[in-house]
Coordinates of all heavy atoms in Angstrom, one line a residue:
G1 N 91.1 109.2 120.1 CA 90.2 109.6 119.0 C 91.1 109.8 117.8 O 92.3 109.6 117.7
S2 N 90.4 110.3 116.7 CA 91.2 110.6 115.5 C 90.4 111.8 114.8 O 89.2 112.0 115.1 CB 91.3 109.4 114.6 OG 90.0 108.9 114.2
L3 N 91.0 112.4 113.9 CA 90.4 113.4 113.1 C 91.1 113.5 111.7 O 92.3 112.9 111.6 CB 90.4 114.8 113.8 CG 91.8 115.4 114.2 CD1 92.3 116.3 113.1 CD2 91.6 116.1 115.5
T4 N 90.6 114.2 110.8 CA 91.2 114.3 109.5 C 91.2 115.7 109.0 O 90.4 116.6 109.4 CB 90.4 113.5 108.4 OG1 89.1 114.0 108.3 CG2 90.5 112.0 108.9
Y5 N 92.1 116.1 108.2 CA 92.2 117.5 107.5 C 92.8 117.1 106.1 O 93.5 116.1 106.0 CB 93.0 118.5 108.4 CG 94.5 118.2 108.4 CD1 95.2 118.8 107.5 CD2 95.0 117.4 109.3 CE1 96.8 118.6 107.5 CE2 96.4 117.2 109.4 CZ 97.2 117.7 108.4 OH 98.5 117.6 108.5
S6 N 92.6 118.0 105.3 CA 93.1 117.9 103.8 C 93.9 119.1 103.5 O 93.6 120.2 103.8 CB 91.9 117.7 102.8 OG 91.2 116.6 103.2
V7 N 94.8 118.9 102.7 CA 95.7 119.9 102.1 C 95.4 120.0 100.6 O 95.6 119.1 99.9 CB 97.3 119.6 102.3 CG1 98.0 120.7 101.7 CG2 97.6 119.6 103.8
G8 N 95.0 121.2 100.2 CA 94.6 121.4 98.7 C 93.3 120.7 98.4 O 92.3 121.5 98.0
A9 N 93.1 119.5 98.6 CA 91.9 118.8 98.2 C 91.7 117.6 99.0 O 92.7 117.0 99.4 CB 91.8 118.5 96.6
A10 N 90.5 117.1 99.2 CA 90.4 115.9 99.9 C 90.5 114.6 99.0 O 90.6 114.6 97.8 CB 88.8 115.8 100.3
S11 N 91.0 113.6 99.8 CA 91.3 112.3 99.2 C 90.8 111.2 100.1 O 90.3 111.5 101.2 CB 92.7 112.1 98.8 OG 93.6 112.2 100.0
A12 N 91.0 109.9 99.8 CA 90.8 108.8 100.7 C 91.7 108.9 101.9 O 92.9 109.1 101.7 CB 91.0 107.5 100.0
A13 N 91.1 108.8 103.1 CA 91.9 108.9 104.3 C 92.7 107.7 104.5 O 92.2 106.5 104.4 CB 90.9 109.2 105.4
P14 N 93.9 107.8 105.1 CA 94.7 106.6 105.4 C 94.1 105.8 106.6 O 93.2 106.4 107.4 CB 96.1 107.1 105.8 CG 95.9 108.5 106.1 CD 94.6 109.0 105.4
T15 N 94.4 104.6 106.8 CA 94.0 103.9 107.9 C 94.8 103.9 109.2 O 96.1 103.9 108.9 CB 93.8 102.3 107.5 OG1 93.1 102.2 106.4 CG2 93.2 101.6 108.7
A16 N 94.2 104.2 110.3 CA 95.1 104.4 111.6 C 95.5 103.0 112.0 O 94.9 102.0 111.9 CB 94.1 104.9 112.7
T17 N 96.7 103.1 112.6 CA 97.3 101.8 113.2 C 97.2 101.8 114.7 O 97.6 101.0 115.4 CB 98.8 101.7 112.8 OG1 99.5 102.9 113.2 CG2 98.9 101.5 111.3
L18 N 96.7 102.9 115.3 CA 96.6 103.0 116.7 C 95.1 102.8 117.2 O 94.3 103.4 116.4 CB 97.0 104.4 117.3 CG 98.6 104.6 117.1 CD1 98.8 106.1 117.6 CD2 99.4 103.7 117.8
D19 N 94.8 102.2 118.2 CA 93.5 102.1 118.8 C 93.1 103.6 119.3 O 93.9 104.3 119.6 CB 93.4 101.2 120.0 CG 93.6 99.7 119.4 OD1 93.2 99.4 118.3 OD2 94.1 99.0 120.3
D20 N 91.7 103.8 119.3 CA 91.3 105.1 119.9 C 91.3 105.0 121.4 O 92.1 105.4 122.1 CB 89.9 105.3 119.3 CG 90.0 105.8 117.8 OD1 91.0 106.1 117.5 OD2 88.9 105.9 117.2
V21 N 90.2 104.5 122.0 CA 90.1 104.5 123.4 C 89.6 103.1 123.9 O 88.9 102.9 124.9 CB 89.1 105.5 123.9 CG1 89.5 106.9 123.9 CG2 87.7 105.4 123.1
T22 N 90.1 102.0 123.2 CA 89.7 100.7 123.6 C 90.4 100.4 124.9 O 91.5 100.7 125.1 CB 90.1 99.7 122.5 OG1 91.6 99.9 122.3 CG2 89.3 99.9 121.2
V23 N 89.7 99.7 125.8 CA 90.1 99.3 127.0 C 89.8 97.8 127.3 O 88.6 97.4 127.0 CB 89.6 100.1 128.3 CG1 90.1 99.4 129.6 CG2 90.0 101.6 128.1
D24 N 90.7 97.0 127.6 CA 90.5 95.6 127.8 C 89.3 95.4 128.8 O 89.5 96.0 129.9 CB 91.8 94.9 128.3 CG 91.6 93.3 128.5 OD1 91.8 92.7 127.5 OD2 91.3 92.9 129.6
P25 N 88.3 94.6 128.5 CA 87.1 94.5 129.4 C 87.6 94.0 130.9 O 86.9 94.3 131.8 CB 86.2 93.5 128.8 CG 87.0 92.8 127.7 CD 88.1 93.8 127.3
V26 N 88.6 93.1 130.9 CA 89.0 92.6 132.1 C 89.6 93.7 133.0 O 89.3 93.9 134.2 CB 90.0 91.4 132.1 CG1 90.6 90.9 133.4 CG2 89.4 90.2 131.3

């Protein structure tokens, strides 16, 4: 999974490069 937190003030969140819990269907 993923979560966000902000320091000082919120901004646009960066994009994750890791999958969350995807599992190959096979």
Side-chain angles (χ1 to χ4, degrees):
S2 60
L3 58 92
T4 61
Y5 70 93
S6 302
V7 176
S11 65
T15 303
T17 58
L18 295 178
D19 293 330
D20 286 348
V21 286
T22 55
V23 176
D24 184 85
V26 175

